[in-house]
Amino acid sequence: MRIALISDVHANLVALDAVLAEEEGLGAEAVWNLGDTVGYGPDPNGVVARLAEVGARSVLGNHDAVATGAMDTAWFNPLAAAAAEWTRSVLEPEAADVLGGLGEVLREGEWSLAHGTLRDPLREYLVTVEAAEGHFAEQETPYSAVGHTHVPLVVRRDEEGVRGVPPVEGEAAALGEGLLCVNPGSVGQPRDGDSRASYALLDTSAGTVTHRRVGYDIGETQRRMAAAGLPEALAERLSRGR
Ligand code: ZN
């Protein structure tokens, strides 16, 4: 079975639609969404509706929790806080109900899904060996997937310890022995210097994961952000992938 692994869509419907079109063309039968579905971008209601249409399985992200009022914006920088306020003001009750009903950790067969880490799903970034050790200590399945950093990565834990492996675009990597954690990068606001939408395709029968990038109409998303009155710096960073 092929599964599209997506994260950090951040209300960027144009980017999400580009990713969905590609993964469907590649035969994906399911979508697993690692959170931060809204926040920053111009189409929070449209993104929540589209993910429901495709039957995506989703976990809660910190931006989603802020959008529903479950978390405050104390941890946010001023631009993120402004975008969060805007998101909260336009979020329709139906979309707020969907986000409010999401759990922080989801188990799907051999996979555990969370936004940040399994140890601290809404706050922690899996970017250090210490955070990875804490994450794997909570992992009861062979494989896991997280987002939150907006940077694609594969982290492995075996006899030799923990190591992060930057994925090679388009290359099917074996899931392998030992514990594994996949970060598919961000659909709606990549931060690794590549402005294209980022996601990963799992093939559970072949036992592989392939990181992929998809170009989309960034200008259209930026126009929608301007029309919504969202901070210009948030629109501009989409062009740089930072
Ligand atoms: Zn995010």
Side-chain angles (χ1 to χ4, degrees), residues 36-91:
D36 275 8
T37 297
V38 302
Y40 295 132
D43 294 305
N45 296 305
V47 162
V48 171
R50 182 75 85 252
L51 289 172
E53 273 169 37
V54 300
R57 303 277 288 146
S58 302
V59 293
L60 185 72
N62 52 310
H63 282 260
D64 307 322
V66 165
T68 61
M71 229 175 149
D72 64 33
T73 55
W75 294 72
F76 278 16
N77 67 49
L79 291 180
E85 288 305 325
W86 177 85
T87 301
R88 210 182 292 187
S89 73
V90 300
L91 203 61

Coordinates of all heavy atoms in Angstrom, one line a residue, residues 36-91:
D36 N -0.1 20.9 12.1 CA 0.0 22.3 11.6 C -0.7 22.4 10.2 O -0.1 22.9 9.2 CB 1.5 22.8 11.6 CG 1.9 23.3 12.9 OD1 1.2 23.2 13.9 OD2 3.0 23.9 13.0
T37 N -1.9 22.0 10.3 CA -2.8 22.0 9.1 C -3.1 23.5 8.7 O -3.2 23.8 7.6 CB -4.1 21.2 9.4 OG1 -3.7 19.9 9.6 CG2 -5.1 21.3 8.2
V38 N -3.2 24.3 9.8 CA -3.5 25.7 9.6 C -2.4 26.6 10.2 O -1.5 26.1 10.8 CB -4.9 26.1 10.1 CG1 -6.0 25.2 9.5 CG2 -4.9 25.9 11.7
G39 N -2.6 27.9 10.1 CA -1.6 28.9 10.6 C -0.7 29.3 9.4 O -0.3 28.5 8.6
Y40 N -0.4 30.6 9.3 CA 0.4 31.3 8.3 C -0.3 31.5 7.0 O -0.2 32.6 6.4 CB 1.7 30.5 8.0 CG 2.7 30.4 9.2 CD1 3.3 29.1 9.5 CD2 3.1 31.5 9.9 CE1 4.2 29.0 10.5 CE2 4.1 31.4 10.9 CZ 4.6 30.1 11.2 OH 5.5 30.0 12.2
G41 N -1.0 30.5 6.5 CA -1.5 30.6 5.1 C -2.9 31.1 5.0 O -3.6 31.3 6.0
P42 N -3.4 31.3 3.7 CA -4.6 32.0 3.5 C -5.9 31.2 3.4 O -7.0 31.7 3.4 CB -4.4 32.7 2.1 CG -3.5 31.7 1.4 CD -2.6 31.1 2.5
D43 N -5.8 29.8 3.5 CA -7.0 29.0 3.2 C -7.2 27.9 4.3 O -7.3 26.7 4.0 CB -6.8 28.3 1.9 CG -6.8 29.2 0.7 OD1 -7.8 30.0 0.6 OD2 -5.9 29.2 -0.1
P44 N -7.3 28.4 5.6 CA -7.5 27.3 6.6 C -8.7 26.5 6.4 O -8.7 25.2 6.6 CB -7.6 28.2 7.9 CG -7.9 29.6 7.5 CD -7.3 29.7 6.1
N45 N -9.9 27.1 6.1 CA -11.1 26.3 5.9 C -11.0 25.4 4.7 O -11.4 24.2 4.8 CB -12.3 27.3 5.8 CG -12.5 28.1 7.1 OD1 -12.6 27.5 8.2 ND2 -12.5 29.4 7.0
G46 N -10.5 25.9 3.6 CA -10.3 25.1 2.4 C -9.4 23.9 2.6 O -9.7 22.8 2.1
V47 N -8.3 24.1 3.4 CA -7.4 23.0 3.6 C -8.0 21.9 4.5 O -7.9 20.7 4.2 CB -6.1 23.5 4.2 CG1 -5.3 22.4 4.9 CG2 -5.2 24.2 3.1
V48 N -8.7 22.3 5.6 CA -9.4 21.4 6.4 C -10.4 20.6 5.6 O -10.5 19.3 5.8 CB -10.0 22.1 7.7 CG1 -10.9 21.1 8.4 CG2 -9.0 22.6 8.6
A49 N -11.2 21.3 4.8 CA -12.2 20.6 4.0 C -11.6 19.6 3.0 O -12.1 18.5 2.8 CB -13.1 21.6 3.2
R50 N -10.5 20.0 2.3 CA -9.9 19.2 1.3 C -9.3 17.9 2.0 O -9.5 16.8 1.4 CB -8.7 19.9 0.6 CG -8.1 19.1 -0.5 CD -8.9 18.9 -1.7 NE -8.7 20.1 -2.6 CZ -9.6 21.1 -2.8 NH1 -10.8 21.0 -2.2 NH2 -9.3 22.1 -3.6
L51 N -8.7 18.0 3.1 CA -8.1 16.9 3.8 C -9.3 15.9 4.3 O -9.1 14.7 4.2 CB -7.3 17.3 5.0 CG -5.9 17.9 4.6 CD1 -5.2 18.5 5.8 CD2 -5.1 16.9 3.8
A52 N -10.4 16.5 4.6 CA -11.6 15.6 5.0 C -12.0 14.9 3.7 O -12.3 13.7 3.8 CB -12.7 16.5 5.6
E53 N -12.1 15.6 2.6 CA -12.5 15.0 1.3 C -11.7 13.8 1.0 O -12.2 12.8 0.5 CB -12.4 16.0 0.2 CG -13.5 16.9 -0.1 CD -13.1 18.0 -1.1 OE1 -12.4 17.8 -2.0 OE2 -13.6 19.1 -0.8
V54 N -10.4 13.8 1.2 CA -9.5 12.7 0.8 C -9.3 11.7 1.9 O -8.5 10.8 1.8 CB -8.1 13.2 0.3 CG1 -8.2 14.1 -0.9 CG2 -7.3 13.9 1.4
G55 N -10.0 11.9 3.0 CA -10.0 11.0 4.1 C -8.7 10.9 4.9 O -8.3 9.9 5.4
A56 N -8.0 12.1 4.9 CA -6.7 12.1 5.6 C -6.8 11.7 7.1 O -7.8 12.1 7.7 CB -6.0 13.5 5.4
R57 N -5.8 11.0 7.6 CA -5.7 10.8 9.0 C -4.7 11.8 9.6 O -3.6 11.9 9.1 CB -5.2 9.4 9.3 CG -6.0 8.3 8.6 CD -7.2 7.9 9.5 NE -6.8 7.1 10.7 CZ -7.4 7.2 11.8 NH1 -8.4 8.0 12.0 NH2 -7.0 6.5 12.9
S58 N -5.2 12.6 10.6 CA -4.4 13.8 11.0 C -4.1 13.8 12.5 O -5.0 13.3 13.3 CB -5.1 15.1 10.7 OG -5.4 15.2 9.3
V59 N -3.0 14.3 12.9 CA -2.7 14.6 14.3 C -2.7 16.2 14.5 O -2.7 16.9 13.5 CB -1.4 14.1 14.8 CG1 -1.4 12.5 14.8 CG2 -0.2 14.6 14.0
L60 N -2.8 16.6 15.7 CA -2.9 18.0 16.1 C -1.5 18.6 16.1 O -0.5 18.0 16.6 CB -3.5 18.1 17.5 CG -3.7 19.5 18.1 CD1 -4.9 20.1 17.4 CD2 -4.0 19.4 19.6
G61 N -1.3 19.8 15.5 CA -0.1 20.6 15.6 C -0.3 21.7 16.5 O -1.4 22.1 16.9
N62 N 0.8 22.4 16.9 CA 0.7 23.5 17.8 C 0.0 24.7 17.2 O -0.8 25.3 17.9 CB 2.1 24.0 18.3 CG 3.1 24.2 17.2 OD1 3.3 23.4 16.3 ND2 3.8 25.4 17.2
H63 N 0.1 24.9 15.9 CA -0.7 26.0 15.3 C -2.2 25.7 15.2 O -3.0 26.6 15.3 CB -0.1 26.3 13.8 CG 1.1 27.1 13.8 ND1 1.1 28.4 13.6 CD2 2.4 26.7 14.1 CE1 2.4 28.9 13.6 NE2 3.2 27.8 13.9
D64 N -2.5 24.4 15.1 CA -3.9 24.0 15.1 C -4.5 24.2 16.5 O -5.6 24.7 16.6 CB -4.0 22.5 14.8 CG -3.3 22.1 13.5 OD1 -3.4 23.0 12.5 OD2 -2.7 21.0 13.4
A65 N -3.7 23.9 17.5 CA -4.2 24.1 18.9 C -4.4 25.6 19.2 O -5.3 25.9 19.9 CB -3.2 23.5 19.9
V66 N -3.5 26.4 18.7 CA -3.6 27.8 18.9 C -4.9 28.3 18.1 O -5.6 29.2 18.7 CB -2.4 28.6 18.4 CG1 -2.6 30.1 18.3 CG2 -1.2 28.4 19.4
A67 N -5.1 27.8 16.9 CA -6.3 28.3 16.1 C -7.6 28.0 16.8 O -8.6 28.7 16.7 CB -6.2 27.6 14.8
T68 N -7.7 26.9 17.6 CA -8.9 26.6 18.3 C -9.0 27.1 19.7 O -9.9 26.9 20.4 CB -9.1 25.0 18.4 OG1 -8.0 24.5 19.1 CG2 -9.1 24.4 17.0
G69 N -7.9 27.8 20.1 CA -7.9 28.4 21.5 C -7.4 27.4 22.6 O -7.4 27.8 23.7
A70 N -7.0 26.2 22.2 CA -6.5 25.2 23.2 C -5.1 25.6 23.7 O -4.7 25.1 24.7 CB -6.5 23.8 22.5
M71 N -4.4 26.4 22.9 CA -3.0 26.8 23.4 C -3.0 28.3 23.1 O -3.6 28.8 22.2 CB -2.1 26.1 22.4 CG -0.9 25.4 23.0 SD 0.0 24.5 21.7 CE 1.6 24.6 22.5
D72 N -2.2 29.0 23.9 CA -2.1 30.5 23.7 C -0.9 30.8 22.8 O -0.1 29.9 22.4 CB -2.0 31.3 24.9 CG -0.8 31.0 25.8 OD1 0.3 30.7 25.2 OD2 -0.9 31.0 27.0
T73 N -0.7 32.0 22.4 CA 0.4 32.4 21.4 C 1.6 32.8 22.1 O 2.5 33.4 21.5 CB -0.1 33.5 20.5 OG1 -0.6 34.6 21.3 CG2 -1.3 33.1 19.6
A74 N 1.8 32.5 23.4 CA 3.0 33.0 24.1 C 4.3 32.6 23.5 O 5.3 33.3 23.6 CB 2.9 32.5 25.6
W75 N 4.3 31.4 22.9 CA 5.5 30.9 22.3 C 5.8 31.4 20.9 O 6.8 31.2 20.3 CB 5.5 29.3 22.2 CG 5.4 28.6 23.5 CD1 4.4 28.6 24.4 CD2 6.5 27.9 24.1 NE1 4.7 27.8 25.5 CE2 6.0 27.4 25.3 CE3 7.8 27.5 23.7 CZ2 6.8 26.6 26.2 CZ3 8.5 26.7 24.5 CH2 8.0 26.3 25.8
F76 N 4.8 32.1 20.3 CA 4.9 32.6 18.9 C 5.6 33.9 18.8 O 5.5 34.8 19.6 CB 3.5 32.7 18.4 CG 2.9 31.4 17.9 CD1 3.4 30.2 18.3 CD2 1.8 31.4 17.1 CE1 2.8 29.0 17.9 CE2 1.2 30.3 16.6 CZ 1.7 29.0 17.1
N77 N 6.3 34.0 17.6 CA 6.9 35.3 17.3 C 5.8 36.2 16.8 O 4.7 35.7 16.5 CB 8.1 35.2 16.3 CG 7.6 34.7 14.9 OD1 6.6 35.2 14.4 ND2 8.2 33.7 14.4
P78 N 6.0 37.6 16.7 CA 4.9 38.5 16.4 C 4.2 38.1 15.1 O 2.9 38.3 15.0 CB 5.6 39.8 16.3 CG 6.8 39.7 17.2 CD 7.2 38.3 17.1
L79 N 4.9 37.7 14.1 CA 4.3 37.4 12.8 C 3.4 36.2 12.9 O 2.3 36.1 12.3 CB 5.4 37.2 11.7 CG 6.2 38.4 11.3 CD1 7.2 38.0 10.2 CD2 5.3 39.5 10.7
A80 N 3.9 35.1 13.5 CA 3.1 33.9 13.7 C 1.9 34.2 14.5 O 0.8 33.7 14.3 CB 4.0 32.8 14.4
A81 N 2.0 35.1 15.5 CA 0.9 35.4 16.4 C -0.2 36.2 15.6 O -1.4 35.9 15.7 CB 1.4 36.3 17.6
A82 N 0.3 37.1 14.7 CA -0.7 37.9 13.9 C -1.4 36.9 13.0 O -2.6 37.0 12.8 CB 0.1 38.9 13.1
A83 N -0.7 36.0 12.4 CA -1.3 35.0 11.5 C -2.3 34.1 12.3 O -3.4 33.8 11.8 CB -0.3 34.2 10.8
A84 N -1.9 33.8 13.5 CA -2.8 32.9 14.3 C -4.1 33.7 14.7 O -5.2 33.1 14.6 CB -2.1 32.5 15.6
E85 N -4.0 35.0 15.0 CA -5.2 35.8 15.3 C -6.1 35.8 14.1 O -7.3 35.6 14.2 CB -4.8 37.2 15.7 CG -4.1 37.3 17.0 CD -5.0 36.7 18.2 OE1 -6.2 36.8 18.1 OE2 -4.4 36.2 19.1
W86 N -5.5 36.0 12.9 CA -6.3 36.1 11.7 C -7.0 34.7 11.4 O -8.2 34.7 11.1 CB -5.4 36.4 10.5 CG -6.2 36.4 9.2 CD1 -6.9 37.5 8.7 CD2 -6.4 35.3 8.3 NE1 -7.6 37.1 7.5 CE2 -7.2 35.8 7.2 CE3 -5.8 34.0 8.2 CZ2 -7.6 34.9 6.2 CZ3 -6.2 33.2 7.2 CH2 -7.1 33.6 6.2
T87 N -6.2 33.6 11.6 CA -6.8 32.3 11.4 C -8.0 32.0 12.3 O -9.0 31.6 11.9 CB -5.7 31.2 11.7 OG1 -4.6 31.4 10.8 CG2 -6.3 29.8 11.4
R88 N -7.8 32.4 13.6 CA -8.9 32.2 14.6 C -10.1 33.0 14.2 O -11.3 32.6 14.3 CB -8.4 32.7 15.9 CG -9.0 31.9 17.1 CD -8.5 32.4 18.4 NE -7.1 32.1 18.7 CZ -6.6 32.3 19.8 NH1 -7.2 32.8 20.8 NH2 -5.3 32.0 20.0
S89 N -9.9 34.2 13.6 CA -11.0 35.1 13.2 C -11.8 34.6 12.0 O -13.0 34.9 11.9 CB -10.6 36.5 13.0 OG -9.9 36.6 11.8
V90 N -11.2 33.8 11.1 CA -11.9 33.3 9.9 C -12.3 31.9 10.0 O -13.0 31.4 9.1 CB -11.1 33.6 8.6 CG1 -10.8 35.0 8.5 CG2 -9.8 32.7 8.6
L91 N -11.8 31.1 11.0 CA -12.0 29.7 11.0 C -13.5 29.4 11.3 O -14.1 29.9 12.2 CB -11.2 29.1 12.2 CG -10.9 27.6 12.1 CD1 -10.1 27.3 10.9 CD2 -10.2 27.1 13.4

